Amino acid sequence: SQQGEEDPQALSIQEGENATMNCSYKTSINNLQWYRQNSGRGLVHLILIRSNEREKHSGRLRVTLDTSKKSSSLLITASRAADTASYFCAIVGGSNYKLTFGKGTLLTVNP
Amino acid sequence: SQTIHQWPATLVQPVGSPLSLECTVEGTSNPNLYWYRQAAGRGLQLLFYSVGIGQISSEVPQNLSASRPQDRQFILSSKKLLLSDSGFYLCAWSPRGAGNEQFFGPGTRLTVL
């Protein structure tokens, strides 16, 4: 299956701490994307990292990709209560129009 | 800037009734369009995608169908709803081409009773 799988399923931290979420997959990819979803809302695109890239940053977000281990991680630094949401990784394999999403990590940041 | 609209926001329908969910995109041309369903506490399941007017690819054979009558309009339909059709339906668009980031609408919460 091309589906990405996030780990952990749920994560609870205190405001100011860092949060790390992982995504593993089984096939070769063109790129891997991270999305955020607040409860009952649509998804918001965070970062896209291509198969030939190893690390990308956007504000407090840092994404790494290790194609040899078929895994990616999303790090949120100095977390805030407003970061509370579900985070999904999605993979694109080859010349493909489709994203295949994992089941997500529910992040709770306690004030 | 681009915006994506979905309606209705919530819908309660009896089993066996028809369904029509609409999605429109503004501010872009020739987008790829997608319909997803999300069950409670789960990831997204791709239902249909379209790379052009009248071009629909179905990912999961089921009780639903999709149409793209105009470049920026994507419609999800059913002739007879099942209980299992309940869920959160999300429409998304992406720029032309493969593998691009997707931009999601606010979603429709469908409850079939």
Side-chain angles (χ1 to χ4, degrees):
Chain A
S1 164
Q2 262 189 318
Q3 183 177 11
E5 295 184 9
E6 293 90 345
D7 171 60
Q9 291 185 334
L11 179 62
S12 182
I13 60 174
Q14 295 300 122
E15 213 166 21
E17 294 180 340
N18 296 340
T20 299
M21 289 158 273
N22 303 296
C23 173
S24 60
Y25 56 92
K26 296 181 179 178
T27 64
S28 60
I29 62 170
N30 177 296
N31 68 64
L32 185 147
Q33 304 178 27
W34 284 92
Y35 289 79
R36 164 196 169 123
Q37 183 182 33
N38 288 85
S39 180
R41 307 290 295 274
L43 279 72
V44 175
H45 178 263
L46 297 176
I47 289 184
L48 182 156
I49 186 165
R50 302 190 188 284
S51 59
N52 61 351
E53 297 176 311
R54 292 297 168 257
E55 188 171 311
K56 288 191 82 169
H57 297 256
S58 177
R60 293 184 296 112
L61 306 181
R62 173 180 170 245
V63 168
T64 60
L65 178 64
D66 187 333
T67 53
S68 67
K69 295 182 179 179
K70 290 186 166 55
S71 68
S72 174
S73 67
L74 170 66
L75 169 67
I76 303 175
T77 60
S79 64
R80 305 166 182 168
D83 294 328
T84 295
S86 292
Y87 292 83
F88 295 89
C89 70
I91 61 175
V92 178
S95 298
N96 204 322
Y97 294 97
K98 301 181 292 185
L99 297 182
T100 304
F101 286 83
K103 296 180 180 179
T105 292
L106 176 60
L107 173 66
T108 302
V109 181
N110 301 298
Chain B
S1 65
Q2 301 87 6
T3 54
I4 178 168
H5 304 280
Q6 277 187 255
W7 63 92
T10 59
L11 190 59
V12 180
Q13 292 284 94
V15 170
S17 64
L19 173 73
S20 181
L21 302 181
E22 189 162 343
C23 172
T24 60
V25 181
E26 296 177 353
T28 187
S29 297
N30 303 315
N32 297 332
L33 296 172
Y34 306 83
W35 277 112
Y36 293 89
R37 177 169 60 201
Q38 185 178 32
R42 303 294 300 276
L44 277 68
Q45 179 188 34
L46 178 63
L47 301 175
F48 302 94
Y49 71 94
S50 171
V51 299
I53 296 175
Q55 300 179 58
I56 307 295
S57 296
S58 175
E59 289 299 299
V60 183
Q62 54 198 328
N63 187 38
L64 302 170
S65 62
S67 61
R68 184 172 179 173
Q70 300 181 46
D71 180 46
R72 290 170 289 179
Q73 184 184 30
F74 205 22
I75 297 172
L76 183 69
S77 303
S78 174
K79 292 182 179 178
K80 289 185 177 182
L81 284 168
L82 306 172
L83 287 174
S84 57
D85 291 324
S86 293
F88 191 48
Y89 288 81
L90 289 158
C91 181
W93 75 272
S94 70
R96 198 73 162 165
N100 294 313
E101 63 268 34
Q102 295 185 9
F103 302 92
F104 285 78
T108 295
R109 175 77 57 192
L110 172 65
T111 303
V112 182
L113 301 175

